Amino acid sequence: MEWDVVIGLEVHAQLKTQSKIFSGAPIAYGALPNTQACAIDLGMPGVLPVLNAEAVQMAVKLGLAIEATIPPRSVFARKNYFYPDLPKGYQISQYELPIVSKGHLDIPLENGTTKRIGITRAHLEEDAGKSLHENFHGHSGIDLNRAGTPLIEIVSEPELYSAKEAISYLKALHSLVRYLDICDGNMQEGSFRCDANVSIKPKGDSKLGTRAEIKNVNSFRFVERAINYEIERQISILENGGKITQETRLYDAEKNETRSMRSKEEANDYRYFPDPDLLPLEISAEFIKTIAENLPELPQQKQQRFEREYGLSSYDANVLVSSRELSEYFEKTLALSKVPPKLVVNWVMGDLSAALNQNNLSIEQSPVTPEKLALLLQRIQDNTISGKIAKTVFEALWQGEGDADTIIAQKGLKQVTDQSAIEKIIDEVLAKSPSQLEQYRSGKDKLFGYFVGEVMKATQGKANPQQLNQLLKQKLVG
Ligand code: ADP
Ligand code: MG
């Protein structure tokens, strides 16, 4: 039997505000427990929440970027449940009237096309605190530093049809919130986390199957694995005549499996009602207009511009704009070097990215700055060094041995472009290899590479490759 996979994602992105969403307490990751929580975050009786305007601006930014509806009026609601890390007994969230609704995000697919994914809604809410289980000897500790941290929850339509599509959507959204500068995107610290709703149905059926919701997976790789595990689990249940229960499941990365956590609660279990402590949020057209005018260039727009202005392939452009920092590094290097864009692309996506990956560094931490790379590329372009020698220079740049010119001079790497010098070496090589020469002339073309190799050896790789090829061809003819 063949199955369709259906996935909808709920992403919680932590907003990069200075203070909490309803209090003036600061937000900082890693502070000592309970040092960043005030009476409001602690849920003391008699205190009143005050909405953080910056959080509202950030939500509107997101709404505009996904071409969503931003209604003039939205409402904060209490979502009631008991948990030790939620001293108020309710979370302030939005329910029937969220700040952002009906948007979309275009995601790249593996076949090179894009797919438009509907975004049902995005709403503002506060985060809860955290239970601490280590070092409490049979008890649990509660840290309320995170209580009241502003979150935006972004809910997709059930329109993702494979784990790959889900990851593409997540990455596109991750990139977008960072371009907008509304979330730092740090998944390890939980600033960007995702619940994946997964169901299957017989191929072609219009009715959606029963879903399981996998909670809080915190890396792209784990989301993909968790979804794929879940798909297999559901297929095996249905193919053995069983039924899927609607439930919340937890992903265990060590065992690579999902486990049942609790049966799925219904919205009415939460007894949502408008929070009487907060007025409805009214947003004027003027407010939205100001934010719209200050929106930065977004990944998709940037990708199109890169293709148009620099003649990049959509693949290259897509890789570069996937991170704001990477695209800025590329453009800066290009502007400084004035070499053909493709040369910059090849180095940024090739040697530089490889070195960053190997050393587990982000582009901002690169020891080779755009200035340094630009000078290296200029020396390739003006034929001072060959592309191959440039790799040696790049390694020295990476090790911090000065700029490209210094390294080329110190290591004597300057390319030999003097025609007579190259000819002389070719003559020497030919004189030393009479039998190879004879074989070549009697039709063994493959030996061309042997001669190139010998000349390169004799010049320590410094002969200009194009010149060498050309001169060698002439000499070999005799
Ligand atoms: P909640 O999980 O809070 O009850 P919703 O019912 O609005 O909220 O659904 C949340 C997410 O589940 C959405 O992203 C939606 O696309 C997705 N979803 C809903 N039904 C299905 C389904 N049958 N299969 C997969 N995903 C689904
Ligand atoms: Mg949910």
Side-chain angles (χ1 to χ4, degrees):
M1 179 135 187
E2 288 202 74
W3 301 93
D4 284 336
V5 170
V6 176
I7 302 160
L9 297 181
E10 296 163 271
V11 169
H12 285 93
Q14 182 179 320
L15 296 173
K16 266 175 89 177
T17 52
Q18 299 288 312
S19 54
K20 305 259 171 103
I21 184 166
F22 299 116
S23 85
I27 293 169
Y29 183 80
L32 280 176
N34 300 309
T35 57
Q36 315 255 334
C38 70
I40 294 175
D41 310 321
L42 296 174
M44 292 293 171
V47 297
L48 287 173
V50 177
L51 180 59
N52 182 333
E54 211 189 346
V56 176
Q57 278 177 9
M58 290 179 172
V60 170
K61 254 181 155 178
L62 175 80
L64 289 168
I66 57 171
E67 299 183 321
T69 307
I70 300 161
R73 189 168 175 276
S74 64
V75 169
F76 285 97
R78 291 186 180 181
K79 180 178 181 179
N80 299 279
Y81 66 97
F82 170 80
Y83 208 76
D85 65 16
L86 187 75
K88 292 201 296 295
Y90 60 87
Q91 175 195 26
I92 307 179
S93 180
Q94 295 190 302
Y95 183 51
E96 281 165 335
L97 296 169
I99 185 165
V100 168
S101 58
K102 287 199 180 70
H104 57 81
L105 190 63
D106 292 336
I107 64 164
L109 299 185
E110 274 185 328
N111 65 9
T113 60
T114 59
K115 175 175 172 183
R116 177 157 288 187
I117 305 299
I119 292 180
T120 321
R121 57 188 278 150
H123 61 255
L124 284 168
E125 62 185 25
E126 60 178 346
D127 208 345
K130 232 195 274 190
S131 298
L132 308 173
H133 302 293
E134 272 165 47
N135 304 325
F136 284 93
H137 315 289
H139 297 86
S140 287
I142 300 291
D143 176 8
L144 291 169
N145 282 351
R146 209 178 60 183
T149 298
L151 301 177
I152 188 149
E153 177 174 343
I154 305 152
V155 182
S156 88
E157 290 289 316
E159 293 175 351
L160 299 154
Y161 300 145
S162 67
K164 286 241 151 50
E165 283 188 19
I167 298 306
S168 178
Y169 168 86
L170 260 192
K171 287 190 170 163
L173 190 57
H174 185 255
S175 160
L176 181 65
V177 295
R178 301 196 37 210
Y179 267 78
L180 294 170
D181 203 23
I182 61 174
C183 171
D184 67 20
N186 189 325
M187 294 175 85
Q188 265 123 48
E189 292 178 5
S191 307
F192 187 90
R193 48 194 203 256
C194 156
D195 302 341
N197 296 270
V198 180
S199 68
I200 59 170
K201 60 180 171 64
K203 198 168 184 65
D205 257 25
S206 55
K207 196 168 161 286
L208 293 185
T210 304
R211 73 182 143 123
E213 178 174 1
I214 312 164
K215 275 284 176 202
N216 273 336
V217 197
N218 68 350
S219 86
F220 294 126
R221 199 155 39 105
F222 289 161
V223 176
E224 185 167 355
R225 286 195 196 157
I227 290 173
N228 282 328
Y229 174 87
E230 186 56 27
I231 293 169
E232 291 309 316
R233 188 187 72 89
Q234 294 188 10
I235 290 177
S236 126
I237 290 176
L238 292 183
E239 293 195 338
N240 289 300
K243 269 176 81 177
I244 308 294
T245 16
Q246 182 161 330
E247 63 184 352
T248 302
R249 300 180 68 87
L250 201 68
Y251 177 66
D252 179 336
E254 263 165 43
K255 298 203 175 117
N256 186 33
E257 62 178 30
T258 63
R259 279 198 299 274
S260 181
M261 209 164 113
R262 56 173 187 253
S263 68
K264 174 80 185 155
E265 55 291 300
E266 298 291 333
N268 56 18
D269 294 336
Y270 288 121
R271 297 173 292 124
Y272 278 103
F273 63 87
D275 192 318
D277 288 343
L278 287 156
L279 289 169
L281 171 61
E282 290 186 352
I283 296 177
S284 69
E286 197 58 37
F287 183 84
I288 296 176
K289 189 164 160 264
T290 313
I291 295 173
E293 283 165 0
N294 292 300
L295 224 49
E297 185 181 36
L298 300 175
Q300 242 185 342
Q301 298 164 339
K302 192 174 253 184
Q303 172 167 354
Q304 283 162 7
R305 181 169 64 77
F306 278 14
E307 291 173 31
R308 197 176 59 237
E309 247 174 60
Y310 307 135
L312 302 189
S313 70
S314 66
Y315 175 81
D316 289 348
N318 185 258
V319 172
L320 289 176
V321 306
S322 65
S323 127
R324 180 176 179 164
E325 291 78 14
L326 188 66
S327 66
E328 286 170 359
Y329 185 103
F330 162 77
E331 280 206 288
K332 195 159 176 205
T333 309
L334 180 63
L336 290 166
S337 64
K338 303 193 181 64
V339 301
K342 184 62 183 163
L343 182 61
V344 185
V345 173
N346 289 346
W347 277 83
V348 170
M349 284 168 49
D351 292 64
L352 178 68
S353 290
L356 291 170
N357 278 342
Q358 216 165 49
N359 294 282
N360 225 334
L361 295 178
S362 67
I363 186 91
E364 306 98 280
Q365 299 166 312
S366 172
V368 179
T369 59
E371 288 77 9
K372 288 201 171 133
L373 185 61
L375 186 61
L376 173 66
L377 300 185
Q378 282 177 330
R379 292 303 167 254
I380 299 173
Q381 187 64 17
D382 68 14
N383 271 326
T384 308
I385 53 173
S386 65
K388 195 143 176 249
I389 292 286
K391 289 181 184 283
T392 311
V393 180
F394 180 81
E395 297 215 337
L397 283 177
W398 186 269
Q399 299 303 331
E401 299 176 25
D403 68 15
D405 282 342
T406 317
I407 294 164
I408 293 167
Q410 264 173 8
K411 296 190 189 279
L413 295 174
K414 200 166 166 337
Q415 177 161 242
V416 181
T417 52
D418 174 1
Q419 177 154 341
S420 58
I422 297 177
E423 275 180 314
K424 194 168 151 255
I425 296 165
I426 293 177
D427 288 339
E428 284 165 17
V429 167
L430 296 189
K432 268 196 305 193
S433 327
S435 73
Q436 285 91 341
L437 184 59
E438 203 190 295
Q439 288 177 47
Y440 179 85
R441 287 187 174 154
S442 56
K444 207 169 170 199
D445 296 353
K446 275 200 199 127
L447 278 171
F448 190 75
Y450 161 80
F451 292 110
V452 172
E454 288 299 303
V455 178
M456 276 301 187
K457 224 190 273 169
T459 60
Q460 287 149 328
K462 289 183 286 187
N464 175 288
Q466 287 86 23
Q467 264 179 310
L468 166 59
N469 270 334
Q470 203 192 353
L471 293 171
L472 187 60
K473 265 183 202 144
Q474 290 169 7
K475 294 262 177 192
L476 283 171
V477 175

